[in-house]
Amino acid sequence: TSFFQKNKGDSVQQRQDEFIKSVLQVTGPVVRLNPLVSELFERLHLVFFRSATHLGDSNSIKSAVLSEIGQIRFPSYTVMRSPDLFASRDAVVQYKQLVEVGYEMEVLLTSLVKETEQHMKGWEMFVEHQSEWHMLLETLRRPKSPAQKVGGIEQMSRVYWRRHFTAGWALARIAERGARFAANTKQFARERDVLESLLSQDAFRLGKRGEWHERLILLHTTHLRPKGTSVEARAQTAEALERAKRACVRALDDVHVNRISLHAISRQLRTIETKLGVSPDERIEHPRMCVEWQMPLERVVFGMRVRNIRRGPSVWDGSDGIPCSVEQLALWRYRELGYTGIHSENTLATTLFVLLFWDIVFCPLPGVLDTEYQSQPLDMGSESFYFSRRAMIEQRLAEISDGHFVQSIGDVYEKQHGVECVGVSWDLPCDQLQTIASCLGGQRLSAICRVLATEYRLKRSGFPDLCLWNAQTKHILFAEVKGPNDKLSETQRDWLDILVTSKIDVEVCHVRDGDARDTENV
């Protein structure tokens, strides 16, 4: 009888025993590890690799072994290990315990929303640590002594990065997940309180503040807004909308809110003002408002779709008769217009960025290059990456703007080729990268690099699919390809807006099903 076929009278335990017996017939004898040994290895993994990733989800040990036996190479850099990253053994133990709680909560969040018991369990896990979170907030509100104050943006950024390995950072993640469980169990007033507590501090998880503001505004306008049409209900609705409007202004004032969230919050504010009946001349004008994206030109091309593919990305008849992706089909159409092109997506932008900033990325700063087995500094995706290196980055951006970049790409490519490095695709030929960079020119290439230097975690995705150029005319064009029913994501819209405002030619290419090329807009 199959394990997956339930027989009447079979208990869950009986079926599990049968399943285990079937597995053992395939695997043979197995060994159960002593939990204390597993705990030791997990703690060693955390302390040595500075990784809060669950040991079962991490490749750190595997990568280190492969490096030692010569199977992979990591970049050469000066290791600057921070011996005082953890204040004490107790600090390590507490941090690890809280990280594990956050990991368990993350697993519970993968449950379907209708599985209420799982989400209530997650909420209860937050409640168990709620007093610790509130005590931490009280500590953060106390005035700092002169000795505790930190001067200089670079030093502040390094202090901020070290907080990733404190109990406070882990508690902030638990609180953030607690808010999501409150939402999934429709405890909207409690969700609001948790979000307000997260926004009341600026010590942890600054990159998430935009999302917290967006959700809080939505709570005021929708879930906490009274229902009904009575006079009292309408008055309460107006009060809720006024609170939401103030929350929008507060979010716009928050310097840690990223561009994508600013666009969403700006649109929320305009919608709220419309519902409140605010006249156009009385609407709030804020210097950080971004109501509309600057969108590029659009192109429509046609192709014949393969009909017998039911799942996965759409498949099309290529110009050579071989089935291809929607991006490859668009690439064929652009080649007919005289372009040379590649389907590179984000790897082109991140590869150029890392090659041009190699020495800065692997600059020996305290606490970010702690082992010789790193393909990136530990703070690469953090808000502190730019500010910790601001002077060096700004100088390099100026050099790129002045036209000093083609030789740098070649030198780094030749010296570092093949090493494991975040963002770099060695499949892109060096001469091709240099040609693309030359077609972009210093100022436009610098604009792309600035975005990645300041918001690498957010902007390492969403870059247009195709890079197209004409080496003779030095003209370059980027294209985001969309098949039938595909829509632009917010990150893609943001990149398109950035490219348009940087005077870089870009367009959205819509691929439609049908044989009507004579109607394509070229």
Side-chain angles (χ1 to χ4, degrees):
T1 303
S2 169
F3 169 76
F4 300 100
Q5 293 177 347
K6 294 183 179 181
N7 290 331
K8 292 182 179 181
D10 283 357
S11 67
V12 173
Q13 185 61 49
Q14 287 175 322
R15 288 189 290 116
Q16 287 179 345
D17 292 342
E18 288 295 324
F19 178 67
I20 293 172
K21 187 184 298 183
S22 300
V23 170
L24 289 174
Q25 289 175 354
V26 177
T27 63
V30 294
V31 177
R32 175 180 293 174
L33 289 177
N34 187 323
L36 295 178
V37 175
S38 299
E39 168 70 20
L40 174 61
F41 271 93
E42 289 173 2
R43 197 176 301 174
L44 285 171
H45 175 264
L46 167 63
V47 173
F48 181 77
F49 290 105
R50 311 302 204 208
S51 174
T53 305
H54 192 269
L55 185 57
D57 299 330
S58 174
N59 290 320
S60 300
I61 296 177
K62 174 185 174 182
S63 298
V65 172
L66 290 175
S67 175
E68 288 296 322
I69 63 177
Q71 294 299 305
I72 60 175
R73 288 191 300 127
F74 286 99
S76 298
Y77 49 80
T78 302
V79 176
M80 289 193 67
R81 194 159 180 84
S82 303
D84 60 344
L85 184 63
F86 295 102
S88 64
R89 177 184 179 280
D90 290 340
V92 175
V93 173
Q94 182 189 20
Y95 174 70
K96 183 177 178 299
Q97 288 174 343
L98 292 173
V99 166
E100 288 175 347
V101 171
Y103 179 80
E104 291 177 25
M105 294 174 76
E106 189 67 29
V107 172
L108 289 172
L109 279 170
T110 62
S111 306
L112 298 175
V113 176
K114 64 181 180 181
E115 297 180 37
T116 310
E117 289 185 7
Q118 297 291 80
H119 293 278
M120 281 303 302
K121 181 180 177 181
W123 169 253
E124 289 165 3
M125 292 176 73
F126 164 68
V127 171
E128 289 175 7
H129 294 84
Q130 193 170 16
S131 59
E132 291 179 74
W133 172 240
H134 288 159
M135 287 173 61
L136 174 66
L137 294 177
E138 286 297 323
T139 303
L140 294 173
R141 294 189 189 104
R142 294 172 189 165
K144 293 181 175 60
S145 66
Q148 293 175 312
K149 292 182 179 179
V150 180
I153 188 67
E154 288 83 2
Q155 188 178 356
M156 289 173 61
S157 297
R158 291 166 194 163
V159 170
Y160 174 74
W161 164 246
R162 290 170 65 92
R163 292 192 193 126
H164 284 67
F165 301 95
T166 62
W169 192 275
L171 281 169
R173 293 186 69 181
I174 290 173
E176 184 179 20
R177 286 165 172 76
R180 293 175 62 185
F181 284 120
N184 292 342
T185 53
K186 301 187 184 306
Q187 301 179 81
F188 299 120
R190 289 178 173 176
E191 182 192 4
R192 174 201 60 204
D193 294 341
V194 177
L195 289 172
E196 288 285 6
S197 73
L198 285 163
L199 289 167
S200 69
Q201 55 81 36
D202 59 1
F204 308 107
R205 301 184 67 74
L206 298 180
K208 295 288 187 178
R209 293 181 68 83
E211 297 175 23
W212 299 340
H213 281 296
E214 287 183 59
R215 180 63 187 178
L216 185 61
I217 294 165
L218 182 65
L219 286 174
H220 286 308
T221 57
T222 306
H223 301 298
L224 296 176
R225 182 173 150 188
K227 305 295 188 292
T229 57
S230 65
V231 174
E232 183 180 0
R234 287 199 296 269
Q236 291 175 344
T237 295
E239 291 177 7
L241 291 174
E242 288 290 346
R243 286 193 295 272
K245 188 169 80 168
R246 291 193 295 271
C248 288
V249 176
R250 174 187 173 190
L252 294 171
D253 288 336
D254 191 335
V255 297
H256 300 295
V257 175
N258 61 60
R259 282 172 48 99
I260 295 175
S261 290
L262 284 175
H263 275 274
I265 292 164
S266 298
R267 293 194 297 270
Q268 284 177 310
L269 176 56
R270 286 291 180 253
T271 301
I272 292 166
E273 289 175 327
T274 300
K275 290 180 178 179
L276 287 171
V278 178
S279 61
D281 57 335
E282 293 179 341
R283 288 185 170 184
I284 294 172
E285 295 297 335
H286 194 282
R288 299 189 73 208
M289 283 195 72
C290 312
V291 179
E292 299 293 337
W293 301 101
Q294 291 199 46
M295 294 303 294
L297 298 174
E298 297 185 76
R299 180 188 301 272
V300 178
V301 300
F302 293 86
M304 299 302 294
R305 190 170 183 175
V306 177
R307 298 292 181 181
N308 59 350
I309 305 297
R310 295 184 178 181
R311 294 183 179 180
S314 58
V315 178
W316 303 73
D317 279 332
S319 297
D320 54 0
I322 300 175
C324 64
S325 66
V326 67
E327 293 85 4
Q328 197 64 37
L329 178 67
L331 194 55
W332 280 106
R333 295 289 182 262
Y334 281 108
R335 285 173 179 167
E336 292 170 357
L337 298 176
Y339 286 102
T340 300
I342 55 174
H343 175 205
S344 55
E345 299 188 12
N346 311 292
T347 56
L348 173 63
T350 56
T351 297
L352 285 171
F353 168 70
V354 176
L355 292 178
L356 287 166
F357 288 78
W358 190 282
D359 57 327
I360 298 174
V361 169
F362 293 102
C363 175
L365 297 177
V368 297
L369 294 170
D370 274 22
T371 74
E372 58 267 44
Y373 310 113
Q374 294 179 216
S375 62
Q376 60 180 315
L378 294 174
D379 66 343
M380 187 74 178
S382 166
E383 301 81 8
S384 65
F385 176 83
Y386 168 76
F387 291 106
S388 296
R389 304 162 178 79
R390 184 170 63 171
M392 293 183 287
I393 290 174
E394 290 298 333
Q395 181 180 350
R396 183 61 48 82
L397 290 171
E399 292 170 358
I400 294 171
S401 294
D402 291 338
H404 305 294
F405 54 84
V406 175
Q407 187 63 41
S408 300
I409 293 172
D411 291 343
V412 175
Y413 194 99
E414 181 180 359
K415 183 178 180 181
Q416 305 292 345
H417 186 267
V419 304
E420 295 288 321
C421 181
V422 67
V424 175
S425 172
W426 300 114
D427 293 332
L428 296 171
C430 182
D431 59 342
Q432 195 174 77
L433 291 168
Q434 290 175 313
T435 298
I436 293 170
S438 297
C439 291
L440 275 170
Q443 292 188 352
R444 297 188 295 182
L445 180 58
S446 176
I448 293 174
C449 289
R450 176 178 291 280
V451 173
L452 289 168
T454 53
E455 292 186 303
Y456 186 84
R457 181 179 63 85
L458 292 173
K459 295 303 189 296
R460 62 188 173 185
S461 63
F463 199 78
D465 298 305
L466 306 183
C467 176
L468 311 144
W469 69 93
N470 186 311
Q472 294 180 340
T473 63
K474 295 288 186 182
H475 179 250
I476 190 165
L477 169 70
F478 293 99
E480 178 62 40
V481 182
K482 290 297 173 188
N485 304 319
D486 288 344
K487 295 182 179 180
L488 292 168
S489 68
E490 291 295 281
T491 307
Q492 289 171 338
R493 290 178 184 275
D494 195 27
W495 261 120
L496 293 172
D497 180 89
I498 290 167
L499 295 176
V500 170
T501 55
S502 300
K503 303 293 190 289
I504 299 173
D505 289 341
V506 61
E507 59 187 36
V508 178
C509 178
H510 299 280
V511 178
R512 298 288 181 259
D513 192 8
D515 190 10
R517 296 182 194 174
D518 57 329
T519 64
E520 294 176 11
N521 50 318
V522 297

